[in-house]
Amino acid sequence: MTEKPSGPPTEDHTPGDFAEAAEPFALFDEWMADATRHEPNDPNAVALATVDAAGHPNVRMVLLKAVDPAGYPARGFVFFTNYESTKGVELLAHPYAALDFHWKSLHRQVRVRGPVTQVSDAEADAYFATRPRSAQIGAWASQQSRPLESRFALEKAVAAETAKHLVGKVPRPPHWSGFRITPLEIEFWHSRLSRLHERVMFKRAEAGGDWTKTRLYP
Ligand SMILES: Cc1cc2nc3c(=O)[nH]c(=O)nc-3n(C[C@H](O)[C@H](O)[C@H](O)COP(=O)(O)O)c2cc1C
Ligand SMILES: Cc1ncc(COP(=O)(O)O)c(CN)c1O
């Protein structure tokens, strides 16, 4: 396969030396803010890796909905899904995950690994309440990741749920909620010329612990 040029030289995409950062959360916020300005869509899209009961990896995209502010005990990365989906079942059985953000137009990648916890009902309710009504109905209608007989069967389920929730607020389905990944590792990657990329890994032994920072060969 011939390689297409991947845009302008990238030396200038990250002014300053991001290896100077003392801790990863502020740097992540900066990079997410840059992505929000530059990516054409879904700057918060992230690949989420889990493992199944056989120890086999699985990966799919989700949308990052929050990064906790400083001071939050299990400060981490939050997304929402159906707990009965494949990812939901895998995370409930083996609550450890990896994330991979790739902001193509910025030539940047951030990788995260850490233990996973369930968000509180209050957090899930608060986020669910912000979703468009049609997406709230969809959360009731979709048995995510289970076999669907036909598109018509889904449309019937949507119609039935719409009829059930004609008036008033749509409550959050009990099986629809969020997961929080509390990072013990965060790696920042920025492409440089000749594949001599910049990599900086932050690690800590436990949530709330001190970060160590290491440069890695590209
Ligand atoms: C850009 C993008 C963002 C997505 N965001 C979510 C999300 O936040 N939550 C979710 O449940 N599925 C999301 N999906 C769908 C998932 O990738 C996946 O198809 C679905 O959740 C089923 O995954 P599972 O069978 O591994 O549980 C997204 C898909 C794409 C392409
Ligand atoms: C099935 C599903 N659930 C949840 C989400 C999360 O995003 P939102 O809450 O904005 O719908 C997505 C985003 N594509 C999705 O596809």
Side-chain angles (χ1 to χ4, degrees), residues 42 45-46 50 58-65 79-82 85-88 90 144-145 176:
D42 291 343
V46 59
T50 55
N58 214 346
V59 65
R60 80 293 282 156
M61 301 304 293
V62 295
L63 293 182
L64 179 77
K65 292 296 175 172
F79 71 93
F80 292 87
T81 194
N82 185 317
S85 67
T86 302
K87 79 181 89 50
E90 289 176 357
Q144 193 178 53
S145 310
W176 197 96

Side-chain angles (χ1 to χ4, degrees), residues 71-106:
Y72 203 95
R75 189 178 192 188
F77 298 81
V78 175
F79 71 93
F80 292 87
T81 194
N82 185 317
Y83 275 20
E84 296 170 355
S85 67
T86 302
K87 79 181 89 50
V89 169
E90 289 176 357
L91 284 174
L92 292 172
H94 186 87
Y96 212 96
L99 299 173
D100 189 356
F101 298 86
H102 179 208
W103 296 299
K104 292 191 180 69
S105 61
L106 291 169

Side-chain angles (χ1 to χ4, degrees), residues 6-120:
S6 65
T10 58
E11 302 283 0
D12 59 343
H13 283 298
T14 304
D17 185 354
F18 67 88
E20 300 291 303
E23 64 83 34
F25 280 104
L27 183 57
F28 181 86
D29 285 349
E30 264 176 51
W31 282 27
M32 181 54 89
D34 289 343
T36 302
R37 280 191 295 273
H38 286 101
E39 290 299 325
N41 63 304
D42 291 343
N44 57 335
V46 59
L48 163 76
T50 55
V51 290
D52 70 12
H56 299 153
N58 214 346
V59 65
R60 80 293 282 156
M61 301 304 293
V62 295
L63 293 182
L64 179 77
K65 292 296 175 172
V67 183
D68 301 313
Y72 203 95
R75 189 178 192 188
F77 298 81
V78 175
F79 71 93
F80 292 87
T81 194
N82 185 317
Y83 275 20
E84 296 170 355
S85 67
T86 302
K87 79 181 89 50
V89 169
E90 289 176 357
L91 284 174
L92 292 172
H94 186 87
Y96 212 96
L99 299 173
D100 189 356
F101 298 86
H102 179 208
W103 296 299
K104 292 191 180 69
S105 61
L106 291 169
H107 308 267
R108 285 174 176 172
Q109 171 180 240
V110 174
R111 295 167 63 184
V112 174
R113 297 174 79 211
V116 172
T117 48
Q118 300 173 39
V119 305
S120 68

